[in-house]
Amino acid sequence: ELSLCGLEATLIPVLSFEFVSLESLFEKLSHPERYGGLVFTSPRALEAIKICLKEKSKSEAWSKSLKQRWHSKPAYVVGNATASLVEEIGLIPQGEKSGNAEKLAEFICSRENSNSSSLLFPCGSLKREVLPTVLKEKGIPLESLTVYQTTQHSQLQESLSSYFSQQGIPASIVFFSPSGVKFCLEHIQKLCGDFINQVKFAALGPTTAAALRAAGLPVSCTAETPAPRALAAGLRQALGLHGGC
């Protein structure tokens, strides 16, 4: 998408994910009657479910009855990428236009109440507390289960050093998550040195933009929606490139 808009992009993996508690996850998925619906704020939570469903017995149980029983309950999601993975396992996503956890929490609160059954929330170890806090304040029951742990990618420092030595200082650096900011920033500041003020820092969403500002960096661009086309349009504007893409 970025190259179609005349931008040359290099993707550097920042995070590694280790999946955990998968037996516990499937045990909970095996009892739809206990829950009022599902909440997903990351594609990784869906990847955890898909790993479970690779096992023949679990896949058969899902296909024969569990999928249909969950189908009648809401599957709340942030963003289109997570929504498409929800569809892949046979469920119907709701709230994908929310774009971030705060707005998804508002969306859920408009549809659920304190008498609702618990919503099952498979999540990561670095999840932010915004969504659980808002739901708790409204008395909407939520059951969180950590199904993946986020760590720094083993090749991150080497990949960044290699990029800067070969390509020099980039015109822009885009972050996709607060944890990306956390793991990358120190390396990037060292590599940019005195030239860091030349770099346009961009964020895929407001949460990541807030993490950049908290680290003391100016944010030149926040994508209007967490989608490639919106990011490309924002970057072109921030970089002073005229015309659409």
Side-chain angles (χ1 to χ4, degrees), residues 53-100:
L53 297 182
K54 284 180 180 175
E55 209 173 298
K56 190 180 177 187
S57 61
K58 291 181 171 67
S59 178
E60 286 175 353
W62 181 259
S63 299
K64 283 179 182 173
S65 69
L66 294 176
K67 178 168 67 175
Q68 194 56 40
R69 289 162 67 196
W70 279 110
H71 199 270
S72 63
K73 301 171 186 285
Y76 296 112
V77 303
V78 166
N80 295 326
T82 307
S84 64
L85 289 171
V86 166
E87 289 169 347
E88 282 181 25
I89 63 167
L91 304 181
I92 300 172
Q94 295 183 27
E96 64 265 35
K97 289 189 169 55
S98 302
N100 60 51

Side-chain angles (χ1 to χ4, degrees), residues 7-154:
L7 300 166
E8 184 186 336
T10 301
L11 178 65
I12 295 179
V14 173
L15 309 175
S16 292
F17 303 101
E18 179 190 353
F19 293 97
V20 296
S21 306
L22 296 185
E23 285 300 323
S24 179
L25 172 61
F26 196 77
E27 194 277 329
K28 292 177 187 301
L29 289 172
S30 300
H31 295 281
E33 72 281 359
R34 295 178 186 170
Y35 301 98
L38 293 157
V39 179
F40 300 108
T41 57
S42 158
R44 254 71 54 191
L46 273 306
E47 286 173 29
I49 292 177
K50 291 179 88 171
I51 291 169
C52 289
L53 297 182
K54 284 180 180 175
E55 209 173 298
K56 190 180 177 187
S57 61
K58 291 181 171 67
S59 178
E60 286 175 353
W62 181 259
S63 299
K64 283 179 182 173
S65 69
L66 294 176
K67 178 168 67 175
Q68 194 56 40
R69 289 162 67 196
W70 279 110
H71 199 270
S72 63
K73 301 171 186 285
Y76 296 112
V77 303
V78 166
N80 295 326
T82 307
S84 64
L85 289 171
V86 166
E87 289 169 347
E88 282 181 25
I89 63 167
L91 304 181
I92 300 172
Q94 295 183 27
E96 64 265 35
K97 289 189 169 55
S98 302
N100 60 51
E102 288 92 334
K103 288 181 182 172
L104 181 64
E106 290 172 19
F107 182 82
I108 293 171
C109 290
S110 71
R111 283 161 170 72
E112 305 285 336
N113 56 56
S114 56
N115 297 321
S116 306
S117 298
S118 284
L119 298 170
L120 179 59
F121 179 30
C123 56
S125 56
L126 296 181
K127 79 173 189 306
R128 294 167 63 242
E129 291 303 318
V130 172
L131 187 141
T133 300
V134 171
L135 266 56
K136 187 177 181 181
E137 285 170 357
K138 298 287 185 181
I140 296 167
L142 182 75
E143 184 177 321
S144 301
L145 176 68
T146 299
V147 295
Y148 66 93
Q149 293 174 341
T150 306
T151 57
Q152 179 176 310
H153 195 281
S154 60

Side-chain angles (χ1 to χ4, degrees), residues 145-200:
L145 176 68
T146 299
V147 295
Y148 66 93
Q149 293 174 341
T150 306
T151 57
Q152 179 176 310
H153 195 281
S154 60
Q155 302 295 312
L156 175 60
Q157 203 163 344
E158 188 181 318
S159 298
L160 284 169
S161 298
S162 173
Y163 175 90
F164 275 79
S165 64
Q166 292 172 27
Q167 310 267 2
I169 307 293
S172 177
I173 299 176
V174 183
F175 289 94
F176 291 81
S177 68
S179 44
V181 176
K182 173 186 169 186
F183 292 136
C184 271
L185 206 50
E186 192 179 331
H187 303 314
I188 286 170
Q189 286 168 327
K190 282 179 184 172
L191 291 163
C192 286
D194 294 337
F195 297 101
I196 197 159
N197 293 333
Q198 295 179 14
V199 179
K200 303 286 187 186

